[in-house]
Amino acid sequence: MITNDIKYIGVNDHKIDLFEGQYVVPNGMAYNSYAVIDDKIAVMDTVDKNFTAEWLVNLEKALAGRKPDYLIVQHMEPDHSANIDKFLSVYPEAKVVSSAKAFAMMENFFGKDYADRRIVVKEGDSLNLGKHVLNFVGAPMVHWPEVIVTYDSTDKVLFSADGFGKFGALDVEEDWACEARRYYVGIVGKYGQQVQNLLKKAAGLDIEIICPLHGPVLKENLGYYIDLYKTWSSYGVESEGIMIAYTSVYGHTKEAVELLAEKLKEKGCPKVVVNDLARCDMAEAVEDAFRYGKIVLATTTYNADIFPFMREFIQHLTERNFRNRTVALIENGSWAPLAAKVMKGMLEECKDLTFTKTTVHIKSAVNDDNIAEIEALSEELCRDYIAQSNETANKQDLAALFNIGCGLYVVTSRDGAKDNGAIINSVKQVTNTPNRIAVTINKNNYSHDIIKKTGVMNINCLSTDAPFSVFEHFGFQSGRNVNKFAGVEPLRSDNGLIFLSKYINSFMSLKVEQYVDIDTHGMFICTLEESRVITDVETMTYTYYQNHVKPKPAAEGKKGFACKICGWIYEGDVLPDDIECPLCKHGAADFEPVE
């Protein structure tokens, strides 16, 4: 039982060996179906054709002698839709509710579109069952074009179709994230933007329970699952570390990979994952490529191309919109090496990839030159980890000052035992003998009060790979009300303050020497105590944020003014002079008319 009125009627499949004919599922699969029992009864989807009898028995028990009124079809893949026709024959008075595209697919699958028994729904439509109201939300290409999801506003339940699903039957205990990640990357991964669109719609709903079509019902800590989906769908980095994917014919490329892995660990890489593409589960390797922020591809030239398993692996990446990663290449070729050129060419269609300056070129066997190349590559890949470590960092790297500009920053501070971080945009070097930095912060910011009291801060220079979620997290909520670093294992500089582990190219630890009151803001004149350069990625400027990071406001059909910082829309003909954006707290100067 999910709630008093929502009952689980799905099945477990332990006979299946390959899901969708390609994904190994050692712990089987769950095909989920639900019944909402009210004045009228709605059944949410069916199950795979091999479990018709078991599902109908489960349904009959849930109905307790009653008859269903509706079958809601959210998704037409056969593992969920196979029993539509059987259900309608068993319950001839029931109607089927779905999207227009789904009914067209029913014609393809069953030779009929149930014109006399169908209810076509679209975004914004609802179905009243009595106490429960089912609200339909369009979710096209998550991951088929006909998909809808359903929100029960009474019990605050989201029936999420394939969203938030995972491999594995429900009677087996296993880690959710591992199999959910492999499921998402393999099946939904190409459609990140469509998932982002659905998450934005879901953000406006009060959700307490998520009921997917695969995997367990989610009732606790929903923020954890939603945050993972935000990361996956934005092609962000979930875990710090480096993934190495390789093929090796006679062991020489493998030798180079093993040496590189050893050096990466020595230089502080928190996690090194090595996949032999000829022997590992290809889906697991693809999952790792999307999980970590850096990837090394190592293979041989083979028939004037690359080894087949590497070619297959890269094709899996490109067809799933692989992006936002650092890529390093190791090639092996005895007489006409082409592997690095071919691999780089295959990845040209991927967006926002950064290739390392160092490429390792092996000619048959690893030699002293290759060992030097591997050393250089490990240094390049681990530069940020070296800089993040208090033991190995260059803490007086004045090149960090070059990253100050008309940029966007996260200022971190600490109020007793509570850490805080906030987005600011006014940082300026004012002298260089000694190095003095001026930081201006709005007096309404919690950070202003903390820094005025403690006299210390860290300035994190955001880089152009920072996603919008960073600005949401540090800019659209106050540290007075939330702990912005809850659940985070922090990195700290010598002054005891946090510095960010990603999405920055440098940070500086500052000590306040003078405070200047400038009406709405306070200016802190500071000396530089520590400065580290983390990466070479360019600083996030305000212009770059506006053009490439901030989402376009959802202004369709709306008239008013949009916040240029976060996209929130004030609907009205005249913008109040004292307007304050409820999300990012910016005033009238940062609003523009909706066009």
Side-chain angles (χ1 to χ4, degrees):
M1 181 179 293
I2 311 302
T3 69
N4 288 335
D5 299 330
I6 301 176
K7 302 181 185 301
Y8 180 82
I9 56 173
V11 299
N12 288 315
D13 181 0
H14 286 290
K15 298 177 182 178
I16 189 171
D17 58 344
L18 295 176
F19 183 72
E20 290 194 351
Q22 60 176 317
Y23 299 105
V24 176
V25 283
N27 289 327
M29 286 297 297
Y31 309 122
N32 296 341
S33 177
Y34 309 90
V36 184
I37 311 296
D38 202 343
D39 295 342
K40 292 183 178 295
I41 296 174
V43 176
M44 307 299 300
D45 298 287
T46 76
V47 300
D48 186 85
K49 65 180 181 181
N50 294 314
F51 297 88
T52 303
E54 181 180 345
W55 175 67
L56 288 174
V57 169
N58 292 345
L59 173 57
E60 187 176 358
K61 289 180 181 177
L63 294 174
R66 296 179 61 190
K67 302 295 183 184
D69 298 276
Y70 305 106
L71 173 64
I72 314 294
V73 177
Q74 300 184 112
H75 184 21
M76 277 298 299
E77 268 194 294
D79 54 334
H80 309 300
S81 68
N83 288 292
I84 292 174
D85 199 57
K86 182 65 174 178
F87 173 90
L88 292 175
S89 65
V90 174
Y91 301 105
E93 296 181 2
K95 294 185 177 181
V96 59
V97 180
S98 197
S99 66
K101 282 188 171 63
F103 283 110
M105 291 183 179
M106 289 179 206
E107 179 77 38
N108 297 334
F109 278 113
F110 307 115
K112 55 182 108 171
D113 62 4
Y114 309 104
D116 57 334
R117 301 176 63 181
R118 70 183 183 187
I119 298 175
V120 180
V121 293
K122 61 184 184 304
E123 174 94 28
D125 288 345
S126 61
L127 183 66
N128 194 317
L129 302 181
K131 183 172 67 174
H132 293 260
V133 177
L134 303 182
N135 304 274
F136 301 105
V137 179
M141 298 315 301
V142 185
H143 62 117
W144 277 22
E146 86 297 354
V147 176
I148 56 174
V149 300
T150 308
Y151 176 63
D152 175 6
S153 55
T154 303
D155 282 349
K156 300 179 181 180
V157 175
L158 178 68
F159 297 94
S160 59
D162 271 349
F164 299 96
K166 65 176 283 293
F167 295 128
L170 298 187
D171 55 1
V172 176
E173 289 289 332
E174 62 182 357
D175 178 67
W176 184 89
C178 180
E179 287 297 72
R181 184 189 307 108
R182 187 165 70 99
Y183 175 89
Y184 175 88
V185 172
I187 294 172
V188 189
K190 180 177 181 178
Y191 306 107
Q193 184 57 59
Q194 288 81 0
V195 175
Q196 287 274 297
N197 295 340
L198 180 58
L199 288 173
K200 290 175 184 176
K201 296 177 185 178
L205 305 175
D206 183 8
I207 301 171
E208 294 184 357
I209 300 173
I210 298 176
C211 291
L213 288 178
H214 295 294
V217 172
L218 308 177
K219 293 186 176 183
E220 298 177 355
N221 196 16
L222 296 188
Y224 166 75
Y225 304 106
I226 292 170
D227 285 347
L228 279 177
Y229 255 67
K230 287 180 179 178
T231 298
W232 297 342
S233 59
S234 63
Y235 306 96
V237 176
E238 180 189 345
S239 302
E240 286 297 326
I242 299 172
M243 182 267 200
I244 305 176
Y246 80 94
T247 64
S248 187
V249 180
Y250 295 108
H252 299 296
T253 308
K254 179 180 180 181
E255 178 186 348
V257 164
E258 290 175 341
L259 177 59
L260 175 63
E262 179 182 330
K263 289 185 174 295
L264 294 175
K265 294 172 185 176
E266 289 174 357
K267 290 178 170 59
C269 180
K271 183 74 172 180
V272 180
V273 177
V274 179
N275 284 281
D276 178 351
L277 297 177
R279 294 173 174 82
C280 70
D281 178 355
M282 186 64 74
E284 292 272 7
V286 173
E287 171 198 343
D288 285 338
F290 281 86
R291 179 176 184 175
Y292 299 99
K294 302 173 187 177
I295 179 173
V296 181
L297 305 177
T299 195
T300 53
T301 300
Y302 192 83
N303 289 336
D305 201 281
I306 56 175
F307 205 73
F309 291 112
M310 179 61 75
R311 171 164 284 279
E312 179 189 353
F313 176 68
I314 294 176
Q315 286 172 340
H316 279 297
L317 301 186
T318 57
E319 70 186 27
R320 288 167 173 79
N321 288 337
F322 188 65
R323 62 194 305 171
N324 297 336
R325 296 296 188 272
T326 296
V327 180
L329 303 175
I330 299 175
E331 69 171 1
N332 194 341
S334 295
W335 59 89
L338 291 170
K341 179 180 179 181
V342 172
M343 288 189 288
K344 193 168 186 178
M346 290 183 69
L347 292 168
E348 282 181 349
E349 64 188 82
C350 299
K351 296 179 180 179
D352 303 319
L353 295 187
T354 301
F355 289 90
T356 58
K357 297 175 183 177
T358 306
T359 296
V360 179
H361 305 279
I362 304 168
K363 292 186 176 179
S364 300
V366 176
N367 58 27
D368 290 344
D369 290 340
N370 300 141
I371 292 173
E373 289 174 332
I374 291 169
E375 176 67 28
L377 180 58
S378 66
E379 285 279 346
E380 187 175 350
L381 288 170
C382 289
R383 181 178 181 182
D384 52 347
Y385 302 130
I386 293 170
Q388 289 169 359
S389 168
N390 288 331
E391 287 71 38
T392 59
N394 175 4
K395 299 179 182 178
Q396 301 301 322
D397 191 342
L398 297 183
L401 296 171
F402 302 150
N403 291 321
I404 295 178
C406 184
L408 290 161
Y409 312 87
V410 172
V411 58
T412 48
S413 55
R414 186 171 175 84
D415 186 6
K418 184 179 180 181
D419 293 290
N420 191 51
I423 297 288
I424 63 172
N425 62 3
S426 184
V427 178
K428 184 72 176 177
Q429 183 180 3
V430 291
T431 66
N432 63 1
T433 309
N435 286 305
R436 292 283 173 91
I437 310 295
V439 181
T440 304
I441 303 176
N442 191 305
K443 288 182 180 178
N444 291 328
N445 282 10
Y446 181 41
S447 296
H448 171 275
D449 297 344
I450 297 174
I451 295 167
K452 192 174 181 184
K453 179 171 65 175
T454 63
V456 291
M457 71 180 92
N458 281 350
I459 296 296
N460 298 265
C461 299
L462 290 171
S463 46
T464 52
D465 56 350
F468 185 63
S469 59
V470 171
F471 297 90
E472 288 182 298
H473 184 74
F474 289 108
F476 299 175
Q477 55 185 349
S478 173
R480 290 188 176 92
N481 307 318
V482 299
N483 183 348
K484 296 185 183 182
F485 293 99
V488 173
E489 188 67 34
L491 299 173
R492 296 189 184 274
S493 53
D494 287 349
N495 63 5
L497 300 183
I498 287 178
F499 64 92
L500 303 190
S501 63
K502 55 186 176 181
Y503 305 133
I504 65 170
N505 55 28
S506 55
F507 80 87
M508 287 153 281
S509 297
L510 306 180
K511 180 182 178 182
V512 178
E513 301 293 348
Q514 183 181 353
Y515 177 79
V516 180
D517 190 318
I518 46 178
D519 297 325
T520 59
H521 290 65
M523 178 183 289
F524 300 89
I525 309 298
C526 309
T527 55
L528 183 66
E529 293 196 316
E530 183 177 349
S531 53
R532 304 190 202 179
V533 175
I534 308 297
T535 72
D536 290 326
V537 182
E538 291 184 5
T539 296
M540 174 76 72
T541 65
Y542 190 75
T543 300
Y544 189 94
Y545 167 81
Q546 289 289 333
N547 293 336
H548 301 288
V549 179
K550 185 194 75 174
K552 300 298 181 185
E556 184 176 351
K558 294 183 179 180
K559 181 180 180 182
F561 300 84
C563 175
K564 293 188 288 186
I565 306 303
C566 68
W568 179 78
I569 294 176
Y570 170 81
E571 295 188 62
D573 295 326
V574 179
L575 183 70
D577 292 337
D578 61 350
I579 186 75
E580 182 182 80
C581 176
L583 295 182
C584 66
K585 309 305 180 185
H586 280 246
D590 288 312
F591 279 76
E592 60 187 1
V594 173
E595 298 179 356

